[in-house]
Amino acid sequence: MKNLLTIVLGIALAISLSTHFSREKTVASCGQNEDMIVSYFQEWLTNGIAEKDKRIKNNPIKVVDVDGAMEYNEIPEVMKHSLYENLKDSRVCKATLFVNYTPDKEKENIEEINIRFQKVLTSPDDENNRSLYVSVSGLDVENMVGEGIKLFQKYHKK
């Protein structure tokens, strides 16, 4: 069941990627395009938590920032399997998300979640336009959502 959830979430993420493109000429460094990264992870984290805890609809979270973005020298592997593809015009990055688990309350409760992602610049189209998008491996989605659920439940006890 856990593997099925990971596959379904991975497919949903891949589908959502096609709607979140921005025009670029070169791959920006890992620390650039912070608004785009925050937007992606806001959606992915909210959707991932909603799969396990429906209370998020009445208790939304807010990704407030991303910081410390660094580029990997080599593509991360788990048990000799690459988590990301070695694509031309791409960067594999790690960073820290700052997530407010009580944005509508008097006191903010901001927690950190470590993330990995890949920024990819597409090949030029017929008009020589290229698009930048972000992808996240299934394992990294699973880890991020797992951490997000634990922190959500910490602030929203049943």
Side-chain angles (χ1 to χ4, degrees), residues 68-139:
M70 304 285 287
E71 183 176 353
Y72 280 93
N73 290 330
E74 295 179 10
I75 295 177
E77 292 183 347
V78 172
M79 298 189 321
K80 297 185 181 183
H81 293 288
S82 295
L83 293 177
Y84 296 91
E85 295 195 39
N86 188 9
L87 301 172
K88 181 181 177 192
D89 294 329
S90 73
R91 299 176 190 274
V92 178
C93 311
K94 68 177 182 174
T96 301
L97 281 184
F98 293 93
V99 182
N100 186 350
Y101 284 87
T102 56
D104 296 333
K105 307 281 189 229
E106 238 177 74
K107 181 182 178 204
E108 293 185 333
N109 290 291
I110 297 175
E111 296 279 356
E112 297 178 8
I113 296 179
N114 294 318
I115 57 170
R116 279 191 293 220
F117 56 92
Q118 185 171 25
K119 293 170 91 174
V120 180
L121 192 61
T122 64
S123 298
D125 64 14
D126 293 339
E127 297 172 2
N128 208 27
N129 292 320
R130 301 179 83 186
S131 299
L132 178 67
Y133 71 91
V134 174
S135 67
V136 181
S137 75
L139 178 64

Side-chain angles (χ1 to χ4, degrees), residues 22 24 26-38 40 66-71 91 93-95 117 119 132 134:
S22 64
E24 298 289 333
T26 61
V27 177
S29 73
C30 289
Q32 292 179 314
N33 307 100
E34 287 182 359
D35 291 342
M36 182 177 79
I37 302 300
V38 165
Y40 276 121
V66 62
D67 190 37
M70 304 285 287
E71 183 176 353
R91 299 176 190 274
C93 311
K94 68 177 182 174
F117 56 92
K119 293 170 91 174
L132 178 67
V134 174

